[in-house]
Each structure stands twice: as C-alpha cells, then as structure tokens.
Amino acid sequence: MALKDYSDEFKADAVALYESTPGATYKSIAADLGINRATLREWVLRDRERRGVSAAPARPPARPAAVSSADPDERVRRLEARVAELEASERKLATERDILRKAAKYFAGGDELVTSRFQFVDDLRATYEVKRLCQILDVNRSSYYKWLAAAEARAARQREDLVLAEKIREVHGESGGAYGSPQVTAELREKGHAVNEKRIARVMRAFDITGIRLRRRVRTTVPDPAAGTAPDLFGRDFTATEPGRKLMGDITYLPLQGGKFLYLATVLDCFSRKVVGWSIAGHMRTDLVSDALRMAAGTRGSLDGAVFHSDHGAQYGSRAYAGLCDQLKVTRSMGAVGTSADNAACESFHASLKRETLQSAHDYGDATTCRRTVFAWLTRYNTRRRHSTNSYLSPDEYEHRHHNAKLTLAA
C-alpha cells in the first residue's frame, strides 16, 4: 500500500476512535480507516506518550449491572435496556467509522480545492446529520452554516475570476508572457477595469499564469588593464530629474544557433529607462558602443552636459570612445572593477530583454531572426512596456506626461 501524508486532524480522530471503542484492536480500526495497522499503533503510542500514559488503560468487558433474581420481570427489563444501550453505542461507533473511512478517502489527495471540511460536511449531509458530521470533524456547526449561506457569493466570485483570468491572459499574452501582477494590474486599469493587484496576483496563481524565469548569465565585460578609467559619478543612483541628464550603457550577448553570438550595446536614460540608443553587431569592438551612443545623441538631439555611466569594459575605456564622448560633450562615469551592482540597472534591463525574447528557447536561431526579434522588443519597450520605476507607465508615456506637466507649470 502506498504511503500517504495524513493530516494531524485525521491522526487525532483515528487515535480517538481507537481509544473510545470498547474491545477495539489495531487491526480492526486500521481496516475501517483504510490504513496500516502498524501506522495506527504508532499514532496511538505517540499520543499516549504525549499525554504521559505509560500503558493502555485496562478494557474490562462490559458487564450488566447486578440485578435481583427475586423479580424475573425486572431483570428482563434491565437486560433489554442494556441491550438497547449497547446497540445504540454500536450504531454510533459504526457511524463514526463510516464517516472517518469516507474522510480518509476524501482528504487523502491533498488537493486544496476539495479538502474543505465544510465541503465534506455538505457532501454527506444527506446521509448523516450535520451535527454528527461536525462533531467528528471538529467543525463549528454555526461556521458551517455561515459557509453554506455564502455559497452563492462564492460561486459568483468564481465566475468573476474566470472572466478576469481571460482578461489577464490577454494582457499577459500581449506582453509576450513577461508581465507580472503589477504590470497586468496597471494595464487593466488603463483599459478601465477597477482591479486590485492582490486579486490579480491571486487569480494568476490560481490559473497558473506566470512570467518568464531568468536564464544563466554569460560574462561580456572584459576589462583592459591599459584602458583609460573614469570616476564613479553615479554612486549606484540610477535616477534623474530630467531626460538626457544621466545615461547608462552596457553590452550583452545574443546567442545564435551553432554556438555563435551577436552582441547588443544599449544606452538607457536614467529618467525614464528609455532605450535612447542601441547597436547590434557580430563583434565587441569599440564601434559597437560608439554606434549606440551616436544613436542616443540623434534620439535626444544633443547630449551636451550629459553623464554616461558604464562598467570597465575595454570598449568604454578606449581612446576612441573617450574621444567620441568629448566630441558629444558627454562626461564619462565608471563603476568599480568587477562589481556588477555599480551598473545594476543595465544588467537588469538586459536580463529582462533576454528573458522575454528567448523565453524557453536556447538561442534566437539565425542572425536575421535575432536582429528582428530584439529590434521589435526594444521599440515596444519604449512605447508600450510598463516599467515599475515609471509608476507602471511606458518610458515614452512617462516622458510625455513629464513634458506636459512642465508646460502646465510654465503656463
């Protein structure tokens, strides 16, 4: 017989049944409950040890009360009353055994959807009286009736959850399976649905709607001892009060079939986390990061006075890149060597990109497919993807509202 994980309540009920049954044996009670004899014996011994009982209490056979032989009729009446009492006790114990046997089968699966004691009482109320069921399962009868009275409301809530789950799946699908409960909540509210994030999270758990897990990182930062360095002007503060003031960049690998790679360099604006520049190539030379910075300059119109933060990769420390920064009037900033936390925002961005574009795949396939997939994600990231740093607005929308607020203040 396969081992089962019985609840503490079931164990306690089984021990109580054994202890309260005159003349009971481990074998008979175990057979009634559908469990192993040795298992029941272990439960009983543990319970006695807990209660400080060293041995089983004596169970003398029940004997009828002594009656006078002088009155045969009185003796018969007393014997009949005793027989009726024993028959009633036997019926009571038989009912308990039957209920516990059904309970053992009912709760053995461990499924949370069917392990409600109230539900068990409700399922058997046509066969046994509710009072007896509640006593055996240690359930408050008034609580059961409250649960029963709320059945219609629960059914309505379940129907509403089904409808909400479909809406969540639609938003989740549109995000490429990337959104968690905060982003889903923001998207549904934007569409006019009054929803609560805790409820969204509960429904997503119940219907197994989950995001995409992170993949193993591969190192792309290769420092050059001879490369130039710059001070850390960020101090792990990746926020900004205006667009175009603070930028950050990094390089990540894009796996292709056959063990090959493309490489992506990005430039993010700390104000809105908008991707203002990027470049994809089959190499990690300085041109890769230079092209991304030039695109950022084109996106913003000018980077005059901006601070650009990076790690100590050889590309960012090269003379050519330093010259480009000087040309664009950009001040360079670098985190500590070998400390990813000093460029954590870019690390997180690239992790999200690969998590949401690769999903369960090991690579992007060929180079053309990779470029197309990453391009689509980057553009959608700016225009539609909700970001927690932006109060769950997309980078473009966040900047748009900031611009309108400034115009309102100026007026």
Side-chain angles (χ1 to χ4, degrees), residues 38-291:
T39 300
L40 176 61
R41 181 175 181 275
E42 181 182 355
W43 294 349
V44 172
L45 293 180
R46 285 182 181 176
D47 182 72
R48 289 175 181 170
E49 182 180 356
R50 180 184 59 80
R51 293 185 289 114
V53 178
S54 59
R59 301 186 183 199
R63 294 179 296 177
V67 296
S68 172
S69 59
D71 188 349
D73 291 339
E74 179 65 20
R75 183 180 182 187
V76 169
R77 283 194 296 272
R78 291 186 180 182
L79 288 174
E80 288 176 344
R82 181 56 179 166
V83 169
E85 180 183 344
L86 291 174
E87 288 177 345
S89 178
E90 178 60 27
R91 287 194 298 271
K92 179 180 178 181
L93 292 174
T95 300
E96 287 183 354
R97 286 196 299 270
D98 193 32
I99 292 174
L100 288 173
R101 189 182 299 113
K102 288 181 170 63
K105 296 178 180 178
Y106 193 92
F107 295 109
D111 190 342
E112 291 182 356
L113 296 178
V114 297
T115 53
S116 166
R117 295 188 181 191
F118 293 148
Q119 188 63 56
F120 178 76
V121 172
D122 198 54
D123 290 345
L124 271 70
R125 64 182 301 189
T127 306
Y128 308 99
E129 60 177 359
V130 171
K131 179 180 178 180
R132 191 75 186 122
L133 288 165
C134 290
Q135 287 175 342
I136 293 174
L137 294 179
D138 193 24
V139 169
N140 187 292
R141 203 168 9 146
S142 62
S143 298
Y144 161 72
Y145 283 117
K146 288 180 181 178
W147 175 87
L148 191 63
E152 185 175 346
R154 280 197 307 278
R157 187 164 57 249
Q158 290 172 355
R159 291 191 295 269
E160 292 171 357
D161 285 350
L162 284 172
V163 175
L164 180 58
E166 290 304 313
K167 295 176 182 176
I168 292 173
R169 284 196 180 97
E170 181 180 350
V171 172
H172 192 254
E174 290 175 352
S175 73
Y179 279 180
S181 57
Q183 292 94 335
V184 170
T185 303
E187 187 73 26
L188 289 175
R189 286 174 178 171
E190 188 76 17
K191 294 181 177 181
H193 301 291
V195 290
N196 179 279
E197 185 183 335
K198 290 184 178 179
R199 185 185 178 197
I200 294 295
R202 175 181 61 78
V203 173
M204 290 181 72
R205 286 194 302 270
F207 290 87
D208 195 27
I209 305 173
T210 58
I212 306 162
R213 297 186 180 276
L214 284 169
R215 296 173 56 84
R216 179 177 59 88
R217 290 182 64 250
V218 173
R219 186 183 181 205
T220 54
T221 300
V222 181
D224 183 355
T229 61
D232 184 354
L233 303 178
F234 270 37
R236 299 186 183 181
D237 178 9
F238 305 110
T239 63
T241 57
E242 291 288 335
R245 299 280 181 84
K246 295 171 66 176
L247 308 174
M248 50 188 171
D250 198 4
I251 302 172
T252 191
Y253 77 102
L254 304 172
L256 306 178
Q257 60 188 8
K260 298 180 180 180
F261 297 94
L262 288 180
Y263 299 93
L264 169 69
T266 53
V267 178
L268 305 182
D269 193 308
C270 291
F271 174 73
S272 62
R273 303 298 168 90
K274 180 183 175 76
V275 190
V276 291
W278 71 80
S279 177
I280 301 176
H283 61 80
M284 288 198 299
R285 295 190 294 271
T286 302
D287 287 348
L288 178 69
V289 295
S290 297
D291 289 345

